[in-house]
Amino acid sequence: MYVDSHCHLAFPELAGDIDGVLARMSAAGVGRALSVCTRLDEFERIHALAMRDERIFASVGVHPDTIGGDEPTVERLIELARRPRVIAIGETGLDYYRLPEPLEWQRDRFRVHIRAAREADRPLIIHTRSAAADTLRIMREERAGEAGGVMHCFTESLQVAQAAIDMGFYISFSGIVTFKNARELQAVAAALPLDRLLIETDAPYLAPVPFRGRTNEPAFVAQVAAKLAELHGTSIDSLRAATTGNFSRCFNRLSDFSPVFS
Ligand SMILES: [Zn+2]
Ligand SMILES: [Zn+2]
């Protein structure tokens, strides 16, 4: 089976038809999905779905672009991360694209997530946009490698990917890697080792070719896998096996994970 390592099932585009989304996901051979939290007032809905459906796991975190709502503390993140079915902290990170400086609060928020992830022993889901140097610097300063995790929806250079891999992170590609104008990113994906790759949709956004412009959903992660298989000159079967195994290695810190996952 495939695993969608990053989607937002609590967003209204998907939550409004969740039974249909889950049915199409299973029909497409996507056996598991990690539903990612972007603000604390979203967490209980994400968690409730993970508790009632064994195909879904949850994360807890506040996105770097989230303004308003409760600001996370280390203690609050640890408390929520220790709930059953919560397998990651995030998404967190830095995004200098949407918001103007000063963004010291965004860097502080990122540090809070890394500290919580180390303390709770949960991997991190890291978002980075137009902020790669600061992202890597803060990861080093806060010893993010002790928690590990994933650089999600990766769009940076090979050097940035390698620096994250050197800290023990995985690199996850979204539908962007299927876009015709994504030549540079395709070259990065082709150069990375198979044992460090993850696949994701980041649904409801960024639907892969040939679904561009439609609402994205976990079923479409197979298109990302097919593109990575093509770039690596390998079969879809081996790409699927590698990325599903990588997901399990990256996120398996819980006693209740393996039986549910296998
Ligand atoms: Zn993101
Ligand atoms: Zn996301």
Side-chain angles (χ1 to χ4, degrees), residues 6 8 36 38 63 91 152 202:
H6 189 117
H8 298 283
V36 174
T38 63
H63 193 285
E91 61 180 288
H152 107 90
D202 209 6

Side-chain angles (χ1 to χ4, degrees), residues 38-50:
T38 63
R39 43 191 308 135
L40 288 176
D41 61 16
E42 189 183 50
F43 174 77
E44 294 298 345
R45 279 180 295 132
I46 292 170
H47 187 248
L49 180 62

Side-chain angles (χ1 to χ4, degrees), residues 7-258:
C7 57
H8 298 283
L9 299 180
F11 285 15
E13 297 91 330
L14 299 174
D17 178 30
I18 196 65
D19 292 337
V21 166
L22 294 171
R24 289 189 294 277
M25 172 179 138
S26 290
V30 183
R32 297 288 181 268
L34 175 48
S35 186
V36 174
C37 185
T38 63
R39 43 191 308 135
L40 288 176
D41 61 16
E42 189 183 50
F43 174 77
E44 294 298 345
R45 279 180 295 132
I46 292 170
H47 187 248
L49 180 62
M51 291 300 287
R52 82 170 161 82
D53 194 309
E54 69 163 17
R55 292 168 289 187
I56 306 304
F57 294 103
S59 78
V60 60
V62 179
H63 193 285
D65 289 336
T66 296
I67 293 173
D70 285 355
E71 190 61 30
T73 61
V74 173
E75 295 71 27
R76 181 98 177 109
L77 289 173
I78 291 171
E79 177 199 329
L80 297 175
R82 287 188 171 146
R83 298 258 202 103
R85 311 282 300 162
V86 181
I87 62 168
I89 297 228
E91 61 180 288
T92 182
L94 300 177
D95 191 330
Y96 296 170
Y97 183 78
R98 287 209 182 92
L99 303 170
E101 287 282 355
L103 288 172
E104 201 54 37
W105 61 268
Q106 206 183 64
R107 292 182 280 273
D108 289 343
R109 182 185 286 175
F110 185 27
R111 291 180 194 276
V112 162
H113 282 80
I114 299 173
R115 289 170 196 170
R118 286 173 46 216
E119 182 92 15
D121 191 26
R122 292 289 184 281
L124 285 154
I125 302 165
I126 295 182
H127 167 115
T128 184
R129 189 164 185 202
S130 306
D134 277 5
T135 301
L136 291 172
R137 175 176 61 80
I138 290 175
M139 286 169 72
R140 287 192 191 99
E141 287 174 4
E142 299 290 341
R143 307 201 307 276
E146 290 178 15
V150 57
M151 307 297 285
H152 107 90
C153 196
F154 193 78
T155 54
E156 302 291 336
S157 68
L158 185 57
Q159 291 96 308
V160 172
Q162 197 57 57
I165 287 172
D166 290 346
M167 279 187 260
F169 278 72
Y170 292 80
I171 309 295
S172 180
F173 290 92
S174 69
I176 293 174
V177 80
T178 70
F179 296 174
K180 281 189 182 61
N181 60 1
R183 289 264 147 87
E184 283 176 44
L185 187 64
Q186 289 163 1
V188 172
L192 293 175
L194 269 186
D195 66 0
R196 285 283 142 184
L197 297 185
L198 293 175
I199 52 174
E200 68 172 85
T201 56
D202 209 6
Y205 308 126
L206 297 169
V209 173
F211 306 117
R212 260 191 108 166
R214 280 174 58 180
T215 298
N216 199 3
E217 57 180 70
F220 298 165
V221 83
Q223 313 300 318
V224 179
K227 187 67 192 183
L228 290 179
E230 175 198 321
L231 291 168
H232 274 260
T234 189
S235 67
I236 291 182
D237 282 352
S238 68
L239 195 288
R240 184 200 300 116
T243 52
T244 295
N246 294 343
F247 181 87
S248 183
R249 269 191 301 283
C250 180
F251 291 104
N252 185 3
R253 310 276 171 89
L254 296 171
S255 57
D256 70 343
F257 182 91
S258 295

